[in-house]
Amino acid sequence: MADPSKINRPLTRDNVRKAHELIKPYIHLTPVLQCDTLSAMASTPQHLRMQPSTSADSQEPHTNGTVSNQLPSNGTSHDPVSFPTASTDGHTHTDHQDALRPSQPKSANPQINIFLKLESHQKIGAFKTRGAFHALSRLTPGELSNGVITHSSGNHAQALALAARTRGIPAHIVMPTISTPSKIAGTKAQGARVYFSGSTEPERVRMVEQVQAETGALLVPPYDHPDIILGQGTVGLEFEEQVKALGVEEAEKVREHEGYGWRTPRRRFGDGKSEGLDTVVAPIGGGGLLSGIATALEGTGVAVFGAEPSFGGADDCARGLAENPPRRIEKVSTLTIADGLRTPVGKYPWTVVSDKEKVRGVYSVTEDEIKSAMRLLFERAKVVAEPSGAVALAVVLYNEEFRRAVEREAGGDGWNVGVVVSGGNTTMEAIVGLFAEETTEKIGSMDGQREDTVKREEGKLGRDGSAVAENVAG
């Protein structure tokens, strides 16, 4: 692509709007989803999310993710609420599994109303489609004559392959050998030629240079270019407008049902305090998405935060920002389960992310917290997310530093928090693999009665003890 320094398209909200007009015919307007269960959980202090196990024996087994406790009606209750929670012992605890220990410190109590922007429903299953289509829309037929090339762990690979096929040009994609098989298959399905490399960015770059020399293909980087950033920023533009529209709809519903004695859902809409989002939390790897959203929302009053994994040094952005002065960390080698975030922040995204006026902060989460967020999205919101796509929700639910910041700044009014579910490119096999060890250890640690209960919930054991599935109306 053209030298970014020679492009006369600065990173501004207006240029994100222009990018959106260019790519609208080729992308989905992805939905925004609300889930009261997730909002209630986010509005409950972590140390109160556990229910003492003494009452478990007297209750019917829970099925299909249902809990017997009433959810808080206004997000201010301090009664223990039964939710899955990630713990420091390496496992994800669920309903009634553990009692609150007296030694546990009091955790933050922010009031949070969650909105999910489902980029998992975007074409090719991730937000990357936006940047790829915008980048190609800015190139001339002559520049595209030899096709395009990139390196990616999977989502940008599929996005560029789709954009190239739409333009009728070849796509050459360099992917790490450890890429998710479904992402490799998805890239090939778009007609791209795939080359394999090592897992680190320097290894991928070397392979790109080799293929580029052989083919003359034009490099379209996965994140480190203004046109990619502007394309990804359209996520923030849509998110802001969609939540405002939901606020109008909610106000109309409240007016329609006034006087009928119906309990109004716990929302901040129509209370005169907020017309839409107060903040957006998005994942960061190379930084194209986060810097794009921050660019799109600059000057709107919506605060922007980043989310990243901590495993194996994947939290390079948070570590770099913590240095004095802040410094971009250029090398990352990690095998976090969030494979889309295994890369250092790019040079151009860093200019945005390191500006506190644009990105308020970046927070990290553990592998268990990411898995817990994946589970909650699946079981409670009915959303399939890949690990990278669940990182932002994990920060909102589990990162105490972020939660204390919300509590401090929002007070009792709370915040409308936008969470970007950046992608859903995973498989049943991958999900089973992530949770298989946890499930095996959980069952193995129980006595016979509790093991029977688990099997019964999974439909493997009848109440009379026979090893047959029960017929339960769904």
Side-chain angles (χ1 to χ4, degrees), residues 273-410:
K273 300 181 182 110
S274 176
E275 296 179 353
L277 291 170
D278 293 297
T279 186
V280 171
V281 184
I284 178 168
L289 176 63
L290 182 62
S291 60
I293 290 174
T295 298
L297 297 178
E298 185 179 8
T300 64
V302 179
V304 177
F305 295 90
E308 60 185 352
S310 60
F311 181 81
D315 57 342
D316 61 293
C317 186
R319 288 186 290 116
L321 291 172
E323 293 194 17
N324 188 17
R327 177 183 65 88
R328 183 173 74 93
I329 295 174
E330 300 182 14
K331 292 184 179 181
V332 172
S333 182
T334 175
L335 290 179
T336 172
I337 58 174
D339 62 313
L341 307 179
R342 292 173 179 170
T343 185
V345 181
K347 177 181 177 182
Y348 289 95
W350 178 257
T351 64
V352 177
V353 174
S354 59
D355 185 344
K356 288 189 176 182
E357 295 296 317
K358 297 176 181 178
V359 175
R360 293 279 304 278
V362 175
Y363 302 94
S364 63
V365 284
T366 67
E367 305 289 272
D368 283 332
E369 289 164 344
I370 295 170
K371 287 167 63 178
S372 182
M374 285 180 67
R375 180 191 292 275
L376 284 161
L377 283 168
F378 181 80
E379 294 181 353
R380 305 303 176 93
K382 313 309 174 189
V383 170
V384 176
E386 60 186 282
S388 301
V391 170
L393 178 62
V395 163
V396 173
L397 295 178
Y398 301 120
N399 186 284
E400 278 297 299
E401 188 179 356
F402 171 80
R403 292 173 56 77
R404 289 191 188 283
V406 175
E407 180 182 26
R408 180 174 61 252
E409 296 192 31

Side-chain angles (χ1 to χ4, degrees), residues 1-2 7-9 14-23 131-141 143-144 167 218 225-228 230:
M1 291 179 69
I7 293 177
N8 190 27
R9 279 185 296 279
D14 185 56
N15 279 332
V16 175
R17 290 191 180 279
K18 292 176 181 177
H20 198 226
E21 290 301 315
L22 284 173
I23 67 175
F133 271 102
H134 182 241
L136 265 58
S137 73
R138 296 293 189 176
L139 297 171
T140 67
E143 291 172 313
L144 295 173
R167 289 291 296 267
L218 184 69
H225 194 281
D227 284 339
I228 296 292
L230 291 171

Side-chain angles (χ1 to χ4, degrees), residues 253-264:
K253 288 179 183 179
V254 170
R255 286 193 295 270
E256 181 180 349
H257 297 128
E258 278 180 350
Y260 288 89
W262 290 18
R263 186 176 71 83
T264 303

